[in-house]
Amino acid sequence: MGAIIDSQPAITQSTQDGIPLSQAIVQRLRNTGVRFHANDNIASHLREGDVDRLQEEVAFHIENALRALVIDVDNDHNTRDTAKRVAKMFVREVFAGRYEPPPAITEFPNIGQLNELTLIGPLRVRSACSHHLCPIMGHAWIGILPNADSNLPGLSKYARLLNWIMARPQIQEEAVKQIADLLEEKIAPDGLALVIEADHFCMHWRGTKDDGARMVSSVMRGRFLEDPSLRREFLTLMATRSQ
């Protein structure tokens, strides 16, 4: 007779009004007609303390998944607290862009009415594929042609906005558009260029296991779309920063 595995999870599920908290949040979102896909942000629909309790619920389900994989989380010292660690990682770190509001944008007056090309990058890209939750690791380059009458954001804010979008389960084709939309909304430049080049571990670690393949996605808007010479200047500068 085989060993009996304790099927009672050691971690309790967080509830609100007697139902799992995640279901209560889903009901709020549906009542207001808000989409909650993997790469959406739901921060404005969360209440005080929800993120802490949601992390507890995620840990509860991850522990059940480990038990379903026939891992003895009660006696294996390596996995005894894995569910809690993974829940914290998902909610507070790698998927925090779903649960946190957007970073504040510090702006400086464009006294000199600057409207020349600015290149920012390479910026580190970290995310996870929404198909397999495997890492996406790479770099992004942002080209901005500021409007002469608009304010200029602080340099670090580009990285903060990029990280906020990427800290969610993503597919790269959608992520590059989300980032471009956000930058246009926040900065309103005359031109915007964005290129992301990344390794996808859903190809490296599983499936074809092709660890040499990379994916490159780009968005060109405004003057970058209309002016081939400006686009070439951005791509040339980007290439020199990639070496």
Side-chain angles (χ1 to χ4, degrees):
M1 181 175 178
I4 297 175
I5 298 176
D6 182 2
S7 62
Q8 296 299 317
I11 302 173
T12 59
Q13 180 173 206
S14 181
T15 62
Q16 178 178 299
D17 299 327
I19 65 172
L21 176 62
S22 60
Q23 292 184 25
I25 295 171
V26 165
Q27 194 58 54
R28 287 179 219 159
L29 295 165
R30 286 180 172 157
N31 288 343
T32 52
V34 173
R35 198 183 79 165
F36 51 100
H37 289 185
N39 60 357
D40 289 328
N41 178 271
I42 61 170
S44 61
H45 299 274
L46 298 176
R47 299 170 183 170
E48 185 177 354
D50 274 357
V51 175
D52 291 334
R53 293 192 293 273
L54 194 61
Q55 182 177 320
E56 294 172 3
E57 184 178 335
V58 172
F60 170 83
H61 290 294
I62 290 173
E63 180 164 303
N64 281 338
L66 292 171
R67 293 176 185 277
L69 290 166
V70 197
I71 295 174
D72 184 0
V73 297
D74 298 308
N75 298 298
D76 177 5
H77 61 283
N78 288 317
T79 59
R80 187 174 297 131
D81 292 320
T82 292
K84 293 178 181 178
R85 287 190 291 264
V86 173
K88 180 181 179 182
M89 177 186 72
F90 281 157
V91 175
R92 302 290 184 175
E93 298 173 330
V94 295
F95 299 158
R98 301 197 74 239
Y99 311 111
E100 295 178 350
I105 301 298
T106 303
E107 294 184 344
F108 301 94
N110 189 358
I111 300 299
Q113 293 193 309
L114 304 175
N115 63 347
E116 300 296 330
L117 170 62
T118 298
L119 174 71
I120 304 100
L123 300 171
R124 191 64 165 149
V125 168
R126 297 177 180 87
S127 190
C129 167
S130 53
H131 296 156
H132 296 95
L133 302 186
C134 288
I136 297 172
M137 305 289 287
H139 291 92
W141 293 262
I142 299 171
I144 296 290
L145 194 68
N147 183 286
D149 297 320
S150 65
N151 287 342
L152 301 174
L155 185 60
S156 67
K157 300 310 182 231
Y158 292 101
R160 294 183 189 279
L161 291 172
L162 175 75
N163 291 335
W164 184 65
I165 292 290
M166 296 306 293
R168 311 169 191 180
Q170 286 283 8
I171 63 169
Q172 188 170 324
E173 302 94 315
E174 292 181 356
V176 71
K177 181 180 182 300
Q178 279 189 307
I179 296 164
D181 290 345
L182 181 63
L183 291 173
E184 279 198 315
E185 174 192 337
K186 298 292 185 182
I187 301 170
D190 287 341
L192 170 68
L194 173 64
V195 173
I196 293 180
E197 180 181 19
D199 294 293
H200 288 245
F201 284 73
C202 57
M203 283 187 66
H204 296 353
W205 194 23
R206 57 160 300 281
T208 61
K209 298 183 179 178
D210 186 344
D211 59 4
R214 290 185 174 181
M215 182 176 183
V216 180
S217 304
S218 69
V219 170
M220 303 286 167
R221 294 187 180 171
R223 290 278 303 280
F224 286 96
L225 193 60
E226 301 161 1
D227 186 344
S229 63
L230 179 64
R231 191 161 59 249
R232 282 195 300 270
E233 182 182 0
F234 166 73
L235 294 173
T236 299
L237 288 172
M238 192 192 94
T240 62
R241 295 289 296 130
S242 303
Q243 296 174 358

